[in-house]
Amino acid sequence: MYEVTIEPTGDVVEVEEGQTLLDASLRQGVWLPFACGHGTCGTCKVQVLEGDCDPGDASPFALMDMEREEGKVLACCALPESDLVIEADIDVDPDFLGYPVEDYEATVESITDLSPTIKGLRLRLDRPMAFQAGQYINLQLPGVEGARAFSIANKPTDDEVVELHVRHVPGGAATSYIHEQLTEGQTVPLSGPYGQFFVRKSASEDLIFVAGGSGLSSPQSMVLDLLEHGDSRKITLFQGARNLAELYNRDLFERLAAEHDNFTYVPALDAPEDPASWEGFTGYVHEAAIAHFDGLFEGHKAYLCGPPPMIDAAITALMRGRLFERDIYMERFLTAADGAEGGTRSALFRRI
């Protein structure tokens, strides 16, 4: 067992033999910045100030030889060989609750077809899990190497279950297993909560949520949490889909909009199968936001969740409408085609 002091916060974590710096920190409620979790992106780079540390299986592209000589390591791969003092680029928001990561056994309670390409999973946990709306879990599946990250769609007060929205990625090992082989009653291990995508509840600005595809999961959790706790700010959810069949959970949000004066729901279809019968917005979801707010977004906090092209288009629209980096938060859904390793992965939840 080694003791690691993390500067500049002064947090101290205990690291077991063979355990990485990142895993030990997250499991003791100490957040370190990270993204891929397997040594290829370099987001979790830290400086070793005192002690000895094995850099582990860090990619030479993410951790160059010169950096290794300077004492830098990647927290997701680094294995302490003595007590350490490290320096990390930590910028934890005061609204972040920092729940420790734990391991759980979950039973598949139900599998539903949310759309032709998206399954809804409801997993019953072996004990309650504390999490913030917007965070995610890592799910282990039989025959699939490595854990896969999926955002939690239910509200935090439903702490004995995890609801997931899983889009089928053709050729993706994890999503193919979920869509084709996973059965109700099956038991699967998972860990969580992870992530820095959460609502800044201490802020006074009104809220904009922009979601595309299965990226609705995190905003759904956030909206349900806010409304349950009586948040008085104006909340607007823009949900984008290709056609009506892919626009899932519409009834839920229309009901919430009818029940709460401060909540507005705006669905958008970019390729409706029958344009004449579609009464909602036709176009991309960022265009729906521009139309709704007349292109001006000042006085808001914006939370974006979906595939990278949607995120990029939404960021451009928001910034042109006088919203800036400090008020924009995002969760990109990456797939194998986007450069992540197999299946759906959820990268670092952070600002631009």
Side-chain angles (χ1 to χ4, degrees), residues 27-58:
R27 290 178 181 278
Q28 291 169 63
V30 177
W31 183 81
L32 293 178
F34 75 101
C36 73
H38 52 266
T40 60
C41 73
T43 303
C44 65
K45 196 173 295 175
V46 299
Q47 176 72 50
V48 177
L49 301 177
E50 298 178 19
D52 298 314
C53 190
D54 178 356
D57 296 326

Side-chain angles (χ1 to χ4, degrees), residues 49-293:
L49 301 177
E50 298 178 19
D52 298 314
C53 190
D54 178 356
D57 296 326
S59 162
F61 299 101
L63 186 67
M64 295 183 291
D65 290 342
M66 181 178 65
E67 293 176 312
R68 295 170 192 254
E69 293 171 1
E70 294 172 349
K72 291 183 171 64
V73 297
L74 302 185
C76 70
C77 298
L79 304 170
E81 296 178 325
S82 72
D83 290 346
L84 298 177
V85 178
I86 66 171
E87 185 175 36
D89 182 16
I90 299 176
D91 181 23
V92 178
D93 192 285
D95 285 313
F96 181 57
L97 299 180
Y99 295 118
V101 170
E102 297 183 24
D103 296 318
Y104 299 85
E105 287 291 324
T107 302
V108 181
E109 194 168 81
S110 65
I111 304 173
T112 58
D113 290 324
L114 297 177
S115 84
T117 62
I118 299 171
K119 295 277 190 186
L121 305 187
R122 185 175 173 86
L123 309 179
R124 176 69 56 179
L125 301 173
D126 57 355
R127 65 187 189 283
M129 179 175 68
F131 66 93
Q132 280 185 268
Q135 291 192 293
Y136 68 97
I137 55 93
N138 275 340
L139 182 65
Q140 295 277 353
L141 295 166
V144 177
E145 184 178 356
R148 294 296 190 271
F150 297 102
S151 294
I152 303 170
N154 53 292
K155 59 185 187 288
T157 51
D158 295 334
D159 58 1
E160 294 184 353
V161 298
V162 167
E163 179 185 336
L164 308 177
H165 301 166
V166 182
R167 180 174 69 90
H168 185 213
V169 179
T175 63
S176 293
Y177 183 91
I178 289 171
H179 277 251
E180 299 167 4
Q181 296 178 257
L182 191 68
T183 59
E184 293 180 357
Q186 188 173 338
T187 300
V188 289
L190 61 85
S191 62
Y194 296 94
Q196 286 277 296
F197 190 56
F198 56 89
V199 174
R200 275 61 183 176
K201 290 189 174 181
S202 65
S204 60
E205 292 91 344
D206 291 333
L207 303 166
I208 294 172
F209 295 96
V210 182
S214 61
L216 180 66
S217 51
S218 289
Q220 175 175 304
S221 178
M222 292 166 155
V223 168
L224 291 173
D225 181 51
L226 290 165
L227 295 178
E228 180 182 56
H229 289 92
D231 197 291
S232 61
R233 290 172 292 180
K234 291 182 180 178
I235 303 166
T236 307
L237 169 64
F238 297 93
Q239 180 188 6
R242 182 164 180 78
N243 52 50
L244 194 58
E246 293 291 344
L247 190 74
Y248 70 94
N249 283 4
R250 178 186 177 191
D251 291 346
L252 166 65
F253 294 110
E254 289 181 341
R255 176 176 58 79
L256 291 173
E259 295 173 352
H260 300 273
D261 293 338
N262 64 322
F263 176 60
T264 301
Y265 171 60
V266 181
L269 302 182
D270 63 81
E273 293 173 342
D274 185 4
S277 65
W278 169 242
E279 298 179 355
F281 184 88
T282 298
Y284 293 111
V285 68
H286 71 281
E287 296 172 334
I290 293 171
H292 185 82
F293 285 103

